[in-house]
Amino acid sequence: MTNFVEELKWRGMIHDIMPGTEEQLNKEMTTAYIGFDPTADSLHIGHLVSVMILKHFQACGHKPVILVGGATGMIGDPSGKSLERNLLDEETLRRNQAALKAQLSKLIDFDSDAPNAALMVNNYDWMKEQSFLGFIRDIGKLITVNYMMAKDSVKKRFSGEGDGMSFTEFTYQLVQGFDYLTLYETIGCKLQMGGSDQWGNITTGTELIRRKTGGEAFAITCPLIKKSDGTKFGKTESGNVWLDPRYTSPYKFYQFWVNVSDEDAAAYIKIFTMLDKETIDALIKEHAEAPHLRILQKRLAKEITCMVHSEEEYEKAVEASNILFGNAATETLLKLDEQTLLQVFEGVPQFDIAMSDLEGEGNAFSELFVEKAPVFASKGELRRLVQGGGISMNKEKVTDAETKVTESNLLAGKYILLQKGKKNYFLIKVQ
């Protein structure tokens, strides 16, 4: 077995580790779990740190367990939050869990017959049978209020952050601790992992196991990932970057990683890829010698887009990027679907023309783009630009201002892309 703790250390993925954890992992194949919150039907890149930890854990010969918080999702975790959140009904939670399982199956091995194949569990399955009286008698008596009040996540809320804390949220660490105890007793799970904001909840679980069974359990947390400028990782102006292509297209997903800063790329390539230390060190050195080539960003974007989507989607994303920033040919443009086309040219000036203007023999280029859609101020300006080779339609040079434009020139059945000079794009929508 590879040393899991050493692997995480050089990648910068350990924040806290309970004494004895490394010895336990070096001694035998160990079962560990991480909890995922099922409040949406897709993971976003904020969850990827946990996914990568589980991937490394499995690659090092250990057994990963994904706990979907069907029950805890009905309560809401107070860690790192100053307000209570909306709670979900069971039907929504079940639907979300099925979607998360499908997503995680692409990233972690659930299906092989290896002894360390991953397992998915749902804490609603054991919590729904639990009566309130049974819980406070068997579990509540084991942990003192003083112990619970000492946790940072509780302290902050009691000291005036937000609107205080409901009893429901106060009990959250007990419920999470009960999950750990249940997995310890039923499948021999001896390690819980999570973000550094989970340390309090995880150690409540290890304490509960010690007091209830006399057994020993362990904890590892990883740092919360931030961007080098101190802002939150994974958020863009338009919100979360999702793993589901319905919410974030593979093109936009790829663009997110390609556009990270040099400093962030050097950190992220260790965290979000399975590349080994030697390869990463060589890439960092190569990047430092020619930062303008963005070697780190491109490799990071490739590894992670192929892993989450597919090699085919990665190649399509690269081709789409080349249309805007490179010298892509017309056939590349013709292959784009409408959603990607609109995302590539998001924010460029748009004009509308009628489909009837292109029917039959079509219309002269100068007529359409001076009179119908005023991309050019005058026919004189248009002719001068055409003579100078400064206008392209769908990435092909326009050599005659009177050339006919017909329905055969449409992209995705309803668009024409004009380019004036190197950088000025215009998208014509035909309706």
Side-chain angles (χ1 to χ4, degrees):
M1 287 192 301
T2 314
N3 187 312
F4 174 66
V5 173
E6 286 302 316
E7 186 70 28
L8 288 199
K9 271 183 184 165
W10 76 259
R11 291 179 185 274
M13 293 170 81
I14 289 191
H15 187 272
D16 285 305
I17 180 165
M18 194 172 271
T21 304
E22 190 168 4
E23 290 78 355
Q24 165 61 35
L25 292 170
N26 291 340
K27 184 173 72 176
E28 61 189 0
M29 182 181 89
T30 302
T31 300
Y33 88 94
I34 294 181
F36 286 83
D37 175 9
T39 48
D41 64 354
S42 171
L43 300 172
H44 54 72
I45 58 173
H47 295 111
L48 269 181
V49 184
S50 294
V51 174
M52 295 310 296
I53 287 172
L54 291 168
K55 264 181 91 68
H56 286 299
F57 193 68
Q58 192 170 48
C60 289
H62 301 290
K63 187 176 181 71
V65 175
I66 289 90
L67 180 138
V68 176
T72 34
M74 291 180 170
I75 298 174
D77 180 3
S79 304
K81 297 177 186 71
S82 54
L83 296 169
E84 291 231 2
R85 67 177 181 197
N86 295 328
L87 310 180
L88 300 176
D89 59 70
E90 189 187 345
E91 188 191 344
T92 308
L93 286 165
R94 290 285 184 197
R95 192 172 60 245
N96 291 352
Q97 284 149 23
L100 299 192
K101 172 80 184 274
Q103 253 179 4
L104 285 162
S105 295
K106 285 179 70 179
L107 303 164
I108 293 164
D109 168 26
F110 285 89
D111 302 320
S112 76
D113 51 8
N116 69 330
L119 190 64
M120 181 176 269
V121 295
N122 176 355
N123 61 11
Y124 185 71
D125 293 335
W126 55 81
M127 285 306 294
K128 67 182 178 195
E129 306 299 333
Q130 190 66 44
S131 75
F132 180 68
L133 287 175
F135 188 81
I136 57 172
R137 185 193 63 205
D138 298 335
I139 303 303
K141 68 174 185 183
L142 296 172
I143 302 287
T144 66
V145 170
N146 310 42
Y147 180 88
M148 293 168 75
M149 292 282 287
K151 302 289 182 184
D152 282 345
S153 57
V154 176
K155 259 197 247 175
K156 281 179 185 166
R157 292 281 285 275
F158 272 83
S159 63
E161 270 194 35
D163 299 329
M165 185 183 237
S166 67
F167 174 73
T168 304
E169 283 199 323
F170 182 59
T171 58
Y172 186 91
Q173 59 176 294
L174 270 189
V175 177
Q176 187 169 326
F178 183 61
D179 288 342
Y180 198 174
L181 173 65
T182 302
L183 293 177
Y184 178 88
E185 291 183 323
T186 55
I187 59 171
C189 181
K190 291 185 178 173
L191 173 62
Q192 187 185 166
M193 303 184 285
S196 56
D197 60 336
Q198 292 294 310
W199 184 253
N201 291 336
I202 296 173
T203 50
T204 297
T206 61
E207 187 63 11
L208 198 53
I209 288 165
R210 189 183 68 76
R211 293 185 185 186
K212 180 89 163 48
T213 70
E216 193 173 19
F218 303 94
I220 292 177
T221 61
C222 65
L224 296 179
I225 310 299
K226 279 199 164 71
K227 294 198 281 197
S228 53
D229 62 8
T231 57
K232 191 172 180 181
F233 162 76
K235 289 273 192 207
T236 63
E237 285 170 21
S238 52
N240 283 323
V241 178
W242 298 93
L243 306 198
D244 191 316
R246 290 174 304 161
Y247 306 135
T248 301
S249 70
Y251 168 74
K252 278 211 157 168
F253 185 85
Y254 169 81
Q255 283 295 321
F256 174 84
W257 300 102
V258 156
N259 288 314
V260 300
S261 69
D262 289 354
E263 199 179 331
D264 286 336
Y268 294 169
I269 202 157
K270 294 175 186 171
I271 297 168
F272 297 110
T273 77
M274 298 296 284
L275 296 173
D276 60 47
K277 190 173 190 304
E278 201 179 336
T279 305
I280 288 175
D281 288 346
L283 283 166
I284 289 172
K285 184 168 180 285
E286 200 183 339
H287 181 94
E289 288 162 8
H292 63 286
L293 296 177
R294 300 182 76 75
I295 289 163
L296 268 182
Q297 285 91 336
K298 286 176 181 173
R299 186 61 185 274
L300 169 68
K302 176 181 181 177
E303 293 289 326
I304 205 157
T305 307
C306 287
M307 179 176 73
V308 169
H309 294 291
S310 68
E311 195 160 348
E312 186 189 351
E313 291 295 350
Y314 157 73
E315 282 164 7
K316 284 202 294 203
V318 172
E319 283 189 343
S321 303
N322 286 340
I323 289 167
L324 200 51
F325 308 113
N327 301 310
T330 312
E331 56 263 32
T332 309
L333 197 56
L334 290 169
K335 282 193 280 187
L336 286 192
D337 58 81
E338 183 180 6
Q339 184 194 18
T340 309
L341 180 76
L342 291 176
Q343 287 179 338
V344 172
F345 295 102
E346 191 177 18
V348 309
Q350 291 196 17
F351 294 89
D352 291 338
I353 59 174
M355 186 66 84
S356 57
D357 290 325
L358 303 186
E359 286 168 353
E361 291 182 11
N363 230 315
F365 190 92
S366 60
E367 182 71 22
L368 277 176
F369 303 121
V370 176
E371 306 286 338
K372 307 277 186 184
V375 176
F376 305 98
S378 67
K379 289 186 179 179
E381 182 210 8
L382 172 59
R383 288 193 186 98
R384 276 195 310 277
L385 285 165
V386 168
Q387 280 168 358
I391 294 180
S392 297
M393 177 169 67
N394 297 344
K395 284 286 177 179
E396 282 187 352
K397 283 265 184 282
V398 175
T399 54
D400 178 0
E402 301 311 309
T403 192
K404 294 286 188 189
V405 182
T406 69
E407 289 176 79
S408 66
N409 295 109
L410 293 178
L411 303 170
K414 58 178 171 186
Y415 299 97
I416 294 169
L417 180 70
L418 297 184
Q419 194 174 351
K420 192 196 309 187
K422 274 196 170 176
K423 294 190 175 167
N424 297 314
Y425 286 98
F426 304 87
L427 197 58
I428 315 302
K429 188 174 182 184
V430 183
Q431 323 197 56

